[in-house]
Amino acid sequence: MSALLYVLILLVPAAFASGWWTARRAGVRRSGVQVSELSSDYFRGLNYLLNEEQDKAIEVFLKLAEYNRDTVETHLALGNLFRRRGEVDRAIRLHQHLVSRPGLSDAMKTVALLELGEDYMRAGLLDRAETLFSDLVAMDAHAPSALRHLIAIYQHERDWHKAIEHARRLEAMTGEDESGMIAQFYCELAEQSRQHGARQEAREYLRQAFACQADCVRAFMLTGRLYAEEGQHVEAARVYEQAVEADIAFVPEILPPLLNSYARSQQMEHAEHFLRDILERYHGISPVLALTRLYQQRDGDRTAIDFLTSQLRQRPSVRGLMALIDATMDKIEGEARENFLILRDLTKKLLEGQAMYRCSRCGFGAKAHHWQCPSCKSWSTIRPIHGVANE
Ligand SMILES: [Zn+2]
């Protein structure tokens, strides 16, 4: 939608210009009921654009550009349309032509450069895009937009140090708070260090992540993981509990390692207490399944099944049903068992096709959790879906 708005904003001056130009040529005054042919073309193009009929819109705007060779805005709008339609080569040629045009004002030239940078990004020519956006930042022309694009490039290249540096510059320039995003960059660095066995370095990056965002769930989870890998499960469990307190929505991600640390540090009484407490505040199925397993191991099948059945009445869940079938299976024989097996298969298939997570920003559905949305590239926006067939 923002791209569409952008095209519209670019086109409004073009429409006025074209109306004025035609009116002047025809020797008529603009007041009165004269509606120029080009203005009506413009509104026809606009209509196509609003109806997402980009092919027809391009046709109309090409005609406008033909009549108005000097109208930079029309060319910019056209280039934007080409890029949005995936005709990146055409967009690049058009914008390069604009940039090299003699007599172009500095303001228009930098707009064209910004567009060209976006073309390069879309074409995967990240080096060229980086150079161009860096030049724009150095010229202090459209610097916030250029910085946002540069940050996107560094994220793509996983150059987290540069991403952090540019995000801080963006913060200083716009006054907007980017600390949540910067905390994620530090978590990426911490994860890299952890994987390379540089544990002290990982802890230092996590300290920086917390300095940016004191309740960073991911930083808590990584800290817990570092403790768990060193066999310090009491500390690990404590930090995982802090992760739950920081954002209870991440319970499905946090519970498996937390339960592992509880088990390894013989804290199962405390585990029951903590899970019971979550049950009051969180309406998904994960804590129910965790408690069911805990009761099964400690008190046997009967207690576990009774608990699960009573919970499923309050919070219907396909995953809960699956757990119930699994727990009951051993007690059933003959034809009923065959029917249960069919039911189990069906339930499994139903769950397999199901997105378990959704981006709260763009609606992207995912089966696994991502810290960065693969579609809109936002951080920490992918959350468990709550519903009968999900969490
Ligand atoms: Zn998204």
Side-chain angles (χ1 to χ4, degrees):
M1 190 61 203
S2 62
L4 179 64
L5 265 178
Y6 179 68
V7 172
L8 294 183
I9 290 163
L10 283 176
L11 279 170
V12 167
F16 279 111
S18 63
W20 169 81
W21 184 79
T22 318
R24 195 177 60 162
R25 195 172 58 156
V28 292
R29 295 171 71 85
R30 287 196 66 214
S31 59
V33 291
Q34 289 284 347
V35 177
S36 75
E37 187 198 334
L38 283 178
S39 285
S40 67
D41 274 348
Y42 163 74
F43 285 110
R44 200 152 54 85
L46 198 61
N47 203 29
Y48 287 137
L49 209 55
L50 289 169
N51 290 325
E52 294 284 320
E53 293 182 78
Q54 294 177 358
D55 287 352
K56 289 179 183 168
I58 281 180
E59 208 174 286
V60 172
F61 292 132
L62 266 176
K63 191 176 157 197
L64 271 172
E66 189 65 28
Y67 278 117
N68 286 277
R69 286 179 189 281
D70 298 333
T71 312
V72 178
E73 287 89 346
T74 312
H75 286 89
L76 284 170
L78 256 177
N80 194 303
L81 273 172
F82 284 145
R83 185 175 65 241
R84 288 208 298 144
R85 260 184 19 145
E87 294 184 56
V88 188
D89 287 350
R90 258 179 122 178
I92 290 176
R93 277 202 303 278
L94 197 145
H95 289 132
Q96 279 176 336
H97 170 72
L98 261 183
V99 169
S100 62
R101 203 153 102 175
L104 193 69
S105 73
D106 282 351
M108 279 301 159
K109 189 167 185 165
T110 52
V111 172
L113 281 170
L114 195 66
E115 292 287 318
L116 186 58
E118 285 194 47
D119 298 339
Y120 286 150
M121 275 183 84
R122 180 66 72 84
L125 303 166
L126 295 186
D127 284 359
R128 283 196 207 179
E130 184 186 349
T131 309
L132 213 153
F133 290 133
S134 299
D135 288 350
L136 282 171
V137 173
M139 287 153 61
D140 198 16
H142 310 283
S145 296
L147 277 173
R148 285 192 186 93
H149 288 307
L150 282 171
I151 294 166
I153 291 172
Y154 298 133
Q155 286 180 61
H156 182 81
E157 292 174 339
R158 305 182 66 75
D159 188 339
W160 306 112
H161 288 290
K162 278 193 179 168
I164 290 167
E165 181 200 325
H166 286 77
R168 293 219 190 274
R169 287 178 74 177
L170 181 65
E171 267 191 332
M173 194 172 285
T174 62
E176 286 167 19
D177 179 18
E178 305 291 351
S179 54
M181 181 171 74
I182 298 173
Q184 290 289 331
F185 296 161
Y186 277 117
C187 287
E188 289 286 345
L189 285 167
E191 180 59 36
Q192 273 178 4
S193 303
R194 190 194 67 79
Q195 284 173 6
H196 295 139
R199 312 182 71 80
Q200 206 43 49
E201 194 178 81
R203 283 184 204 285
E204 179 51 30
Y205 286 134
L206 288 172
R207 196 189 60 73
Q208 307 233 43
F210 283 125
C212 293
Q213 190 189 358
D215 61 349
C216 178
V217 180
R218 189 181 183 187
F220 278 120
M221 289 181 71
L222 272 166
T223 308
R225 184 159 185 179
L226 285 173
Y227 278 128
E229 284 173 355
E230 286 160 4
Q232 301 185 52
H233 287 286
V234 175
E235 287 80 1
R238 183 180 51 78
V239 176
Y240 285 131
E241 283 179 5
Q242 284 178 293
V244 172
E245 298 308 327
D247 194 342
I248 201 161
F250 287 93
V251 155
E253 297 305 303
I254 303 165
L255 280 191
L258 172 59
L259 289 164
N260 178 51
S261 285
Y262 279 145
R264 285 170 181 269
S265 54
Q266 279 102 41
Q267 296 190 78
M268 294 321 282
E269 287 304 314
H270 179 66
E272 183 191 359
H273 190 74
F274 189 75
L275 288 170
R276 281 278 181 186
D277 176 54
I278 293 180
L279 218 52
E280 301 291 316
R281 299 183 279 141
Y282 178 85
H283 301 291
I285 196 69
S286 289
V288 174
L289 297 179
L291 271 167
T292 304
R293 272 191 298 276
L294 190 149
Y295 292 140
Q296 200 165 20
Q297 283 160 12
R298 195 185 67 187
D299 309 321
D301 285 345
R302 191 66 266 160
T303 312
I305 290 170
D306 286 348
F307 168 75
L308 182 56
T309 323
S310 70
Q311 286 293 324
L312 283 179
R313 286 198 187 97
Q314 295 164 37
R315 42 185 113 191
S317 153
V318 179
R319 278 170 69 209
L321 175 69
M322 184 110 159
L324 186 61
I325 295 171
D326 283 344
T328 321
M329 195 69 92
D330 289 347
K331 297 167 184 48
I332 302 170
E333 285 170 3
E335 195 184 332
R337 189 182 165 82
E338 291 303 310
N339 292 342
F340 254 63
L341 280 171
I342 293 169
L343 190 59
R344 193 184 185 285
D345 268 4
L346 275 173
T347 321
K348 202 172 160 197
K349 284 204 176 81
L350 183 67
L351 285 177
E352 273 169 5
Q354 206 68 32
M356 301 303 281
Y357 299 86
R358 177 148 294 133
C359 174
S360 58
R361 181 105 178 245
C362 74
F364 178 83
K367 284 185 182 175
H369 179 255
H370 304 265
W371 289 106
Q372 186 182 26
C373 173
S375 176
C376 73
K377 310 294 178 197
S378 302
W379 291 92
S380 296
T381 51
I382 299 243
R383 307 207 150 222
I385 302 172
H386 286 255
V388 174
N390 319 92
E391 170 54 16

